[in-house]
Amino acid sequence: MRSVAIASMLLLTLTLSAQELPDAATIAKQVQEAAKQRKSIEYVKELTGEVTLDGKPVSEVNASGRRIQVQSSVGKQTVAIQNPGKARIDLQLGGGSLLVSDGELTWTYRPSTRTYTRIAAAQTPDGVAANLAVLDVLGFFADSRTAKTTRQETITIDGTAFDCWVLTSSVKIPTQASMGGQLSDGVMTSWIDKKLLVEVQEEIAYTVTVPPAAGAEPVAYKSRILQVMHGLKVDQPVATALFAFAPPADAREQPVMSAGNRVDLTGKDAPSFRGVSLDGKAYSLDGLKGKAVLLDFWATWCGPCIRSMPTVEKLNEEYRAQGLVVLAVDVGETRETVEKFLKTKNLPYPVIMGDEAGIPAAYGISAFPTFVMIGTDGKVAAHQIGFNEPALTGIVLKAGLGK
């Protein structure tokens, strides 16, 4: 009888422990919100790899008669971010890439081709420079829909203990890693520090099954890639020089159109929308038919968004008599956050909670600020990502105003 009671208590304890774990989506949202509020962060992510056969590390893989060397050192990424909008992300992996943003302009340099791009600065929902930088090298392949919180664990990095939530998810391994064999069992594990809300360690584990030679029985290799964050500094001063970029003498600039896979709706019918402003007025594309409409997608934490506001206010003032309607569409924030911000910054045009109305999703918004100029014919006359004052000043001309 006593053994049954003990077993019941143990089961109850395990059940309660499982219930105490926050779900992965909640943790991911907390990480994102913490990134927006953080003053600065610096770190170096080092990537290492290991392949084992029957539990023992190997230095090469025999794949269909080919001997493929196993690299233990994969690469690293050096990151410095200062909110709002300043970043330096140096990726030393493959051909490598360097992203530098001073909050006004963002440069991306490719050492392998000695080319760089220069565009107006914009920010992602994580509060970092939006362009071609890869902040989470391994996480790029994860399936967030399968993420779950599995346990709590304390790990030590560089002599510092991190009390973490541990998340797992399935992961899609690139076919290039198959070495002509079959890939399976792809799992990503992430360690999120509870206090800092920073992912300090990440691991991808998977199996590669390849025949050592033609006609031979396949052999299963276990592969593991580990990404560890070193030298972590949070909310400490960052050297200003890190956010300046001077192109190498032999580098050439690429046209802006090749700066990344950004959605451009120019020339297309504007997606229909309907939203209610904070002061209770309803606005819809159908209701504004025949008018030029400027949609300003923004967020209170976005540095370039805030800097663009005086220019948007000036456009509103100068072209309102010609029928221009400016709508500020907030993305990803609560009504309380926006109302608190507007107590210190009174905008002379309507503010709509975009997520409540589904407007950002309809327009494919992924970086801030994004400006969409809709002409009187209902088509998108201009689509601009990032704040560039001369370009924004002239955006109404593309809708036929001011001529």
Side-chain angles (χ1 to χ4, degrees), residues 225-238:
I225 302 175
L226 186 66
Q227 180 172 272
V228 180
M229 184 179 285
H230 297 282
L232 178 62
K233 298 178 183 177
V234 176
D235 291 341
Q236 296 184 27
V238 182

Side-chain angles (χ1 to χ4, degrees), residues 153-388:
E153 184 178 347
T154 299
I155 61 174
T156 301
I157 303 173
D158 298 337
T160 300
F162 295 93
D163 184 19
C164 301
W165 298 118
V166 182
L167 281 59
T168 61
S169 63
S170 61
V171 64
K172 183 175 177 60
I173 309 299
T175 54
Q176 299 94 309
S178 67
M179 296 177 286
Q182 296 292 322
L183 295 165
S184 60
D185 304 329
V187 175
M188 169 174 285
T189 305
S190 304
W191 285 260
I192 312 291
D193 182 81
K194 296 178 184 177
K195 182 178 179 181
L196 298 174
L197 292 172
V198 173
E199 184 179 66
V200 295
Q201 183 170 283
E202 206 168 43
E203 177 190 81
I204 285 182
Y206 60 97
T207 300
V208 183
T209 305
V210 295
E217 282 294 316
V219 174
Y221 291 89
K222 300 290 186 181
S223 184
R224 173 176 175 265
I225 302 175
L226 186 66
Q227 180 172 272
V228 180
M229 184 179 285
H230 297 282
L232 178 62
K233 298 178 183 177
V234 176
D235 291 341
Q236 296 184 27
V238 182
T240 305
L242 289 176
F243 308 120
F245 177 76
D250 60 349
R252 58 186 176 85
E253 185 173 0
Q254 286 184 313
V256 172
M257 66 181 67
S258 62
N261 296 321
R262 293 180 166 191
V263 174
D264 189 346
L265 300 173
T266 304
K268 300 178 181 178
D269 290 333
S272 180
F273 67 81
R274 179 179 175 80
V276 178
S277 63
L278 291 179
D279 60 3
K281 278 190 175 182
Y283 293 88
S284 68
L285 189 59
D286 289 340
L288 296 171
K289 200 169 185 178
K291 291 184 176 291
V293 181
L294 176 60
L295 300 178
D296 173 6
F297 293 93
W298 69 292
T300 62
W301 48 262
C302 168
C305 299
I306 308 306
R307 286 192 289 274
S308 72
M309 285 179 175
T311 303
V312 178
E313 289 180 30
K314 187 176 179 182
L315 291 175
N316 178 69
E317 182 181 345
E318 292 183 0
Y319 295 97
R320 184 170 47 196
Q322 295 185 38
L324 176 66
V325 176
V326 176
L327 299 177
V329 184
D330 178 85
V331 184
E333 298 184 292
T334 65
R335 185 176 290 261
E336 180 184 5
T337 298
V338 176
E339 288 176 341
K340 182 179 178 181
F341 172 84
L342 293 176
K343 287 179 180 178
T344 62
K345 180 70 175 176
N346 186 27
L347 297 181
Y349 40 82
V351 176
I352 293 175
M353 301 304 297
D355 292 343
E356 293 178 7
I359 304 175
Y363 282 78
I365 304 302
S366 61
F368 309 93
T370 293
F371 303 97
V372 179
M373 186 74 237
I374 303 171
T376 55
D377 58 358
K379 293 184 179 295
V380 175
H383 186 274
Q384 179 184 323
I385 297 177
F387 173 46
N388 178 294

Side-chain angles (χ1 to χ4, degrees), residues 43-47 75-81 87-101 107-111 132-135 137 242:
Y43 57 82
V44 177
K45 281 184 178 178
E46 289 191 343
L47 284 80
K76 70 177 182 178
Q77 185 179 49
T78 305
V79 173
I81 295 172
R88 184 183 186 90
I89 305 169
D90 187 357
L91 179 63
Q92 296 178 28
L93 179 66
S97 69
L98 172 66
L99 177 143
V100 180
S101 181
W107 296 267
T108 301
Y109 174 61
R110 302 287 187 184
L132 302 179
V134 180
L135 276 174
V137 178
L242 289 176

